[in-house]
Amino acid sequence: MQRVVFLIGLLMLFATNTHAQQRVLTGYLKDSLTQLPIPDGTISNNTKNQKVRTDPNGFFRLLVSPNDLIYVVGPHYRYDTLRYSFLFQDTISILLSPVEILETVNIATGYRKYQFDSLQRRAAFEEMSGSKVNAVDRSSNKKYFGLTINLDKLFKTKDRKQGKQERFFEQQEILAYVRLRFSPQYVAYYTGLKGAELLTFMRLYTPSYEWLRAHTEHELVIDYLSAKLKMFQTASH
């Protein structure tokens, strides 16, 4: 009987110690080049087989214990691993390096990727929106005389919806091209700006889609960046 009590006590002590060692790790996942948050990243505790996702601000909370292996992944970023220790601060920052910065800097490589992604986006859009509906149904169904009028088309309800979807898709394609030619990583790489300063610069000086289409040479964008950076620095002092 005493042995059973001893074993139960030992198990309870072990469970208590294990629970006492657990901590809630909080932190932010950020781009190492821009210092901007990485949303929708995955922070995994491989030891406990648990994982969480970062919010739009790059914030996360994860239950950890000493020596737990933490695996960090972000979309379009190089992964990282770390082993948790009580020496960690209560809130940490994890920096990931973007994998596409060289593709972004190399406009030829980046543009080929943009074209491939654009084809995939177009195929997905067409699959989602479905085929266009004809105004007049000329089916050979013999049960009905004449032509069958499609009222959806007649009142343009479906056409208007499809038109809105098409315009939205085109706007997303414009944004994708601008992000390719003038991404935060690209701007940070050449200007050295980070965080809030980088966001302000992007808000003030991101060129239009039309300008970027008319100035396809990489050197012209660098000249543009150099001129705008001087203006930005002058206005900041």
Side-chain angles (χ1 to χ4, degrees):
M1 181 66 179
Q2 289 180 342
R3 187 177 179 181
V4 173
V5 173
F6 172 77
L7 288 175
I8 293 174
L10 188 62
L11 289 172
M12 291 179 63
L13 179 63
F14 176 77
T16 302
N17 287 338
T18 302
H19 181 73
Q21 286 183 327
Q22 291 185 344
R23 296 285 189 277
V24 176
L25 176 66
T26 60
Y28 291 90
L29 187 60
K30 295 182 180 180
D31 185 302
S32 62
L33 193 61
T34 66
Q35 301 293 309
L36 297 177
I38 301 176
D40 205 30
T42 302
I43 316 295
S44 304
N45 185 333
N46 282 15
T47 306
K48 291 184 171 59
N49 196 26
Q50 298 174 347
K51 62 183 177 181
V52 296
R53 288 196 175 276
T54 57
D55 69 11
N57 297 314
F59 180 77
F60 67 89
R61 297 167 62 93
L62 182 69
L63 189 65
V64 293
S65 298
N67 295 319
D68 283 356
L69 181 64
I70 311 302
Y71 192 77
V72 186
V73 180
H76 310 299
Y77 287 87
R78 302 183 188 280
Y79 75 88
D80 198 5
T81 59
L82 57 146
R83 196 163 295 274
Y84 178 72
S85 164
F86 280 150
L87 297 177
F88 280 31
Q89 296 179 349
D90 292 339
T91 301
I92 65 172
S93 291
I94 302 176
L95 304 179
L96 294 185
S97 301
V99 296
E100 294 185 353
I101 181 59
L102 293 180
E103 290 184 353
T104 304
V105 173
N106 184 342
I107 188 62
T109 304
Y111 188 63
R112 283 196 297 271
K113 184 178 185 305
Y114 162 80
Q115 289 177 310
F116 178 75
D117 289 346
S118 180
L119 288 174
Q120 287 190 316
R121 287 191 295 267
R122 168 58 70 178
F125 168 76
E126 290 179 351
E127 183 178 352
M128 179 188 68
S129 60
S131 58
K132 290 187 176 181
V133 179
N134 294 321
V136 177
D137 183 3
R138 299 181 182 274
S139 66
S140 57
N141 193 327
K142 300 301 182 181
K143 291 194 301 182
Y144 304 99
F145 293 98
L147 303 177
T148 302
I149 305 299
N150 187 318
L151 295 180
D152 263 349
K153 181 72 176 184
L154 186 63
F155 293 110
K156 300 187 182 300
T157 302
K158 196 158 189 172
D159 252 10
R160 282 199 297 270
K161 182 179 179 181
Q162 200 161 30
K164 287 180 181 178
Q165 290 175 338
E166 185 70 35
R167 287 191 295 274
F168 178 77
F169 175 80
E170 295 301 334
Q171 290 170 357
Q172 296 307 303
E173 285 298 287
I174 288 173
L175 289 175
Y177 182 79
V178 173
R179 281 196 298 267
L180 164 73
R181 299 286 310 280
F182 210 79
S183 70
Q185 288 79 14
Y186 180 89
V187 175
Y189 184 85
Y190 284 106
T191 65
L193 297 175
K194 296 179 179 180
E197 273 195 326
L198 175 62
L199 287 176
T200 301
F201 182 89
M202 297 286 295
R203 178 174 56 81
L204 292 174
Y205 299 116
T206 296
S208 67
Y209 170 80
E210 290 75 18
W211 189 93
L212 289 169
R213 279 295 190 184
H215 299 79
T216 56
E217 294 83 358
H218 174 62
E219 292 75 14
L220 294 178
V221 181
I222 296 300
D223 290 342
Y224 173 91
L225 265 176
S226 179
K228 297 303 181 184
L229 180 61
K230 289 178 182 177
M231 293 173 57
F232 182 73
Q233 291 172 334
T234 300
S236 300
H237 292 88

